[in-house]
Amino acid sequence: VQLQASGGGLVQAGGSLRLSCAASGRTFSSYRMGWFRQAPGKEREFVACIRSGVSYYANSVKGRFTISRDNAKNTVYLQMNSLEPEDTAAYYCAADAPPLAILSSQRQKSAYDYWGQGTQVTVSS
C-alpha cells in the first residue's frame, strides 16, 4: 500500500485547508485510515481516524477538523477549519490494513501499517 498526501500549505489563523491522501490497493474500503501530525521537537500525535463511516478525533481538533473518505477514489480527506498556530505541523496519513488493530489502539501510531510522506501545514498568527 502506498499513500500520497497533499494539500498542505501556509494559511492565516482562522483559515481552512483540506488535506488529501490517495492510497493504492484494491481493498481500500476495508482499511482504517488515520491522520497524525508532528510538530518540530514533538512526538507524532493522533489527529483523526475513520473506518466504516465512524470517525474519531483528538480533543484538540474536535469541532474544527473533519475526516472523510471516498472509497471509489481510494482517498481520505482531512478538512481543517478555524486553524490555529498550534496546528502547525507535518501531517501524515496512515493506513491500518486488515486484520485491523483493536479499537482501543486506533489512536496509537503502532496500530497503523502504512504511512505516507508528510505534508506541511503552517498557520501564521
Side-chain angles (χ1 to χ4, degrees):
V1 177
Q2 293 185 326
L3 304 174
Q4 182 71 40
S6 61
L10 173 64
V11 63
Q12 289 187 333
S16 299
L17 281 175
R18 188 177 81 153
L19 305 183
S20 300
C21 176
S24 64
R26 298 180 180 179
T27 57
F28 175 79
S29 61
S30 66
Y31 302 163
R32 175 185 290 124
M33 297 300 297
W35 286 97
F36 288 73
R37 66 186 182 186
Q38 187 167 17
K42 294 188 176 181
E43 293 287 322
R44 190 171 299 188
E45 65 176 5
F46 171 80
V47 175
C49 68
I50 186 169
R51 184 183 182 269
S52 299
V54 181
S55 54
Y56 302 84
Y57 298 92
N59 287 337
S60 59
V61 306
K62 197 174 296 182
R64 300 188 297 123
F65 290 11
T66 302
I67 188 171
S68 62
R69 66 193 296 165
D70 185 336
N71 290 332
K73 295 182 178 180
N74 279 19
T75 301
V76 63
Y77 305 96
L78 185 68
Q79 177 66 43
M80 306 185 294
N81 298 329
S82 302
L83 282 162
E84 304 168 352
E86 293 74 22
D87 296 317
T88 295
Y91 283 71
Y92 298 86
C93 61
D96 174 16
L100 300 181
I102 59 175
L103 193 61
S104 60
S105 69
Q106 65 181 354
R107 297 170 185 257
Q108 300 174 16
K109 298 186 295 293
S110 59
Y112 294 83
D113 305 297
Y114 304 98
W115 292 84
Q117 89 293 355
T119 185
Q120 180 67 35
V121 172
T122 302
V123 184
S124 63
S125 57

